[in-house]
Amino acid sequence: MKVFRLLWLGALATSMLADTVVANDELAKLSANPANWAMQAGDFANHRYSELSQINKSNVKKLKVAWMMSTGVLRGHEGSPLVIGNMMYLHSAFPNKVFAVDVATQEIKWKFEPKQDTSVIAQMCCDTVNRGLAYADGKVILQQADSMLVALDANTGKVVWKVKNGDSKLGAVNTNAPHIFGDKVITGISGGEWGVRGYISAYKLSDGKLVWRGYSVGPDEEMLIDPNVTTTWADGKVTPVGKDSSLKTWKADQWKIGGGTTWGWYSWDKASNLLYYGSGNPSTWNPAQRPGDNKWSMAIWARDLDTGKVKWVYQMTPFDQWDFDGINEMILADIKHKGQMRKALVHFDRNGFGYTLDRVTGELLVAEKFDPAVNWATHVDMKSGRPQVDPRYSTALNGPDVDTKGVCPAALGSKDQQPASFNPKTGLFYVPTNHVCMNYEPFKVDYVAGQPYVGATLSMFPAPKSHGGMGNFIAWDAGTGKIVWSKPEKFSVWSGALSTAGDVVFYGTLEGYLKAVDLNGKELFKFKTPSGIIGNVFTYMHAGKQYVGVFSGIGGWAGIGMAAGLEKDSDGLGAVGGYKELKNYTDLGGTLTVFTLE
C-alpha cells in the first residue's frame, strides 16, 4: 500500500511537472518567433519589442492599410489581439466578445460572446475596457468584466472551463488581461473605488482550479507574507518587513475595505521564478478616513509563481492622497547602473517617478521624475525609499472639503496602464505619458457594499507653464533616471508603445493617429484611424510580409468623456478638460486597423 501510494504521488508529481514544462516551452517558443504576437507584451518580461525589421525607419512612411475589422462594440478598446501562426484572436470592450480570425483571408472562424448581466457596467469606474486575451496549451483565456475567468478551445471557441474570480455585485469586476506563466493563469481584480480588497490569483491552466491567492492588504497569512523572510527597502538596505507589516498601518479594520486592487500588467522572470506586478490605491480617496501608510497598497510585488509567497515588496506612495495607483507594468531588463550590469525591474508609476530596482533582491537603484511637471513630491529619499511630499499639495494636510489646487500629476498619473516599450538595442525605454495636473477635494464618505466608495471630487487640466498639450512620448534611461528626449503631444498618450529591430517606435494618440518615430523621436509616419487610440500597437509576419496593427476605439479614463459624449463621467470622479478641439469628434467604435508596406 505504501509502495502504491509512493508510486501514485510520484506519477502525480511527474504529471504536474510535465504540464508546467509543456506550458512553459510552448509559450516560450511561440513568443521567441517574431512572426507571432503570442502575449500581450510580446514576452514574459513586458518588453513590447519585436525582432522584425522588414518595416524600418527608411520605409515606414510607405505603410498602407492592409485590412480592417470592426468588433461591433463602442467604448474603450485597450490591449491588442494575439497572433498565433495563421490565427488572430481579438477581444472587445464589454460584453467582451472574442473572435478567431484567419490572418490570410480575414475570415472569422468562430466568435464567442459571453452572457453577462449588464448591471456590471455600473460597477466599472472608468469605462467598460478589457485589456486582452492570453493563449497557451490550445486555450484562449478571457477575463470577463463580471470576473468570470474563461478558457476557450482555440480551434472551436467552445468553453473548456470557467471560474468566478470575484463578486461583481460588490464591485469586484475585471478589466485586466490574464497572463499565463508556467502552468498557471494569473489574474487580478478591479474595484478599489468600491472598497474591494485587492488580490492576485493563480489558477491551473489545465482545469481552472485555484492554486493560490495573495491579498494586497491585511494579515500576513492572507497576503502570503512571511514577516521574517519577505523583505522591503528601508534604512538604505533590504530588510525583513516584520510581523503585521500591513495591519499596523491601517486604522482598526479599515483594511477589510482597503483597496490595493491589481488590474494592471504582470511579468515573470523564469530564472528566479518570480512574478511581478503592482497594487493600486487604498480605499477611500479621502485620506483623512484612513491614516497611516496603508501598506501594501501602491506597491511593487515579487512573488514565487508556484506558491504565491512574497519574496519582496516595495511601496511607492505610502499614505496615498492623490489616487496614484501602482498597477503599471513591471519591465524586466538587464541594464547598466553606475557602471555595473544589474538584473533590473523598471516601473513608471502613476505618481510620476520612474523606478529602477534590483528584481532579485528589491534594492532601490533609481527613483526620478519622468515628467518635469511633477510637484506633489520634491524627490524620493533613496535611503528610506519614501517620496518627500510638498505640503502645499498634501490633500491630507489641507483636509477634507478643501480644494487642493495645482497638483501634478493628476490622478490619471504621469503614466497610467498604457505600457511602455524596452528596446534592447538602445537600452532605452519608450514611454507614453500624461502631462496633466488637477485640483483635488476630498470629503467624508460612508462605505456601502456594492456602491462607489470614492470620497473626492477632482478636475484635471493640461500641465501649466508647459507646451500646452496633455501628453508626451519620451525616451528614458533607467540606469540614470533621465529623459533622453521628449515629443510633445496634444492629448494624453494612452496607447501602448512598440519598438522594433527596424529602429522604429510606434504608438497611438487620443485623436486617432497611429504614429511612427525613429529612435530620436523624429516623426516618420502617421495615419488617422476611425477612433481615438487607447489600444497597444503590435506586429506580426505572415507569408513573408510584416504587419503592424492597433485597436482604435476611444474610452478609458482619459477618453471616457468623448466616448460617452460627456464633460464629466457619471461617477463624479472628474473628466479631463482640454478637449474643446475635439467637440465635433465622431467615434466609430472598436476597429482593428492592420498596416503593411505597399
Side-chain angles (χ1 to χ4, degrees), residues 212-502:
W212 56 260
R213 172 169 289 168
Y215 283 84
S216 302
V217 302
D220 291 341
E221 60 271 20
E222 294 183 10
M223 294 186 296
L224 306 183
I225 278 179
D226 183 330
N228 299 313
V229 175
T230 302
T231 60
T232 192
W233 182 255
D235 298 322
K237 61 184 178 182
V238 173
T239 185
V241 296
K243 184 176 174 56
D244 297 331
S245 59
S246 176
L247 294 179
K248 290 176 180 177
T249 66
W250 290 88
K251 180 181 178 181
D253 61 354
Q254 180 75 26
W255 59 270
K256 293 181 179 179
I257 49 172
T261 50
T262 53
W263 47 274
W265 305 94
Y266 322 126
S267 54
W268 176 48
D269 185 350
K270 185 177 179 180
S272 62
N273 201 36
L274 291 178
L275 158 72
Y276 302 94
Y277 68 98
S279 52
N281 61 284
S283 304
T284 157
W285 286 17
N286 179 4
Q289 293 182 242
R290 46 169 177 79
D293 279 355
N294 307 139
K295 292 178 178 174
W296 292 96
S297 65
M298 320 299 271
I300 299 172
W301 296 77
R303 291 184 184 268
D304 182 274
L305 178 65
D306 293 329
T307 65
K309 292 181 179 179
V310 183
K311 180 172 182 180
W312 61 261
V313 59
Y314 167 73
Q315 189 176 42
M316 290 84 67
T317 313
F319 188 40
D320 171 62
Q321 307 168 43
W322 311 270
D323 184 42
F324 291 155
D325 294 62
I327 59 84
N328 296 349
E329 74 282 3
M330 310 298 161
I331 305 174
L332 313 182
D334 295 348
I335 63 172
K336 185 174 286 188
H337 172 68
K338 295 184 177 179
Q340 292 185 331
M341 293 302 295
R342 302 296 296 259
K343 292 184 180 297
L345 175 153
V346 177
H347 170 73
F348 299 95
D349 197 64
R350 284 255 290 260
N351 70 15
F353 286 86
Y355 295 86
T356 305
L357 296 95
D358 185 299
R359 67 178 182 264
V360 178
T361 67
E363 176 188 354
L364 180 62
L365 304 175
V366 174
E368 297 289 347
K369 298 175 183 180
F370 62 92
D371 184 345
V374 172
N375 64 12
W376 70 276
T378 57
H379 65 285
V380 172
D381 178 74
M382 294 301 291
K383 184 175 181 181
S384 67
R386 298 178 68 93
Q388 304 302 290
V389 177
D390 186 326
R392 293 176 295 175
Y393 305 111
S394 169
T395 69
L397 285 177
N398 292 338
D401 304 315
V402 174
D403 194 15
T404 299
K405 297 184 182 297
V407 181
C408 303
L412 289 172
S414 293
K415 190 181 89 65
D416 206 288
Q417 61 78 36
Q418 62 269 39
S421 172
F422 171 69
N423 188 321
K425 290 177 66 176
T426 64
L428 298 178
F429 296 76
Y430 301 94
V431 191
T433 74
N434 310 313
H435 192 55
V436 184
C437 302
M438 68 177 173
N439 300 334
Y440 189 109
E441 183 176 346
F443 59 86
K444 187 179 184 303
V445 61
D446 294 322
Y447 174 76
V448 178
Q451 298 297 315
Y453 184 53
V454 180
T457 58
L458 54 95
S459 58
M460 295 182 274
F461 43 84
K465 299 180 182 179
S466 189
H467 61 74
M470 302 175 74
N472 293 295
F473 189 76
I474 71 170
W476 177 260
D477 184 333
T480 62
K482 296 185 181 300
I483 299 170
V484 178
W485 53 257
S486 180
K487 182 178 183 297
E489 284 290 347
K490 190 177 297 183
F491 304 105
S492 295
V493 187
W494 207 267
S495 161
L498 170 75
S499 60
T500 75

Side-chain angles (χ1 to χ4, degrees), residues 486-534:
S486 180
K487 182 178 183 297
E489 284 290 347
K490 190 177 297 183
F491 304 105
S492 295
V493 187
W494 207 267
S495 161
L498 170 75
S499 60
T500 75
D503 296 337
V504 181
V505 187
F506 295 92
Y507 65 97
T509 70
L510 279 183
E511 67 265 50
Y513 286 104
L514 174 68
K515 292 189 175 184
V517 299
D518 68 14
L519 297 179
N520 295 311
K522 179 183 177 182
E523 193 169 295
L524 304 173
F525 168 84
K526 72 175 183 178
F527 181 92
K528 183 70 164 60
T529 65
S531 181
I533 298 174
I534 64 169

Side-chain angles (χ1 to χ4, degrees), residues 560-562 564-570 574-577 579:
I560 186 65
M562 285 181 282
L566 303 171
E567 291 185 3
K568 284 195 174 185
D569 64 64
S570 59
V576 182
Y579 286 135

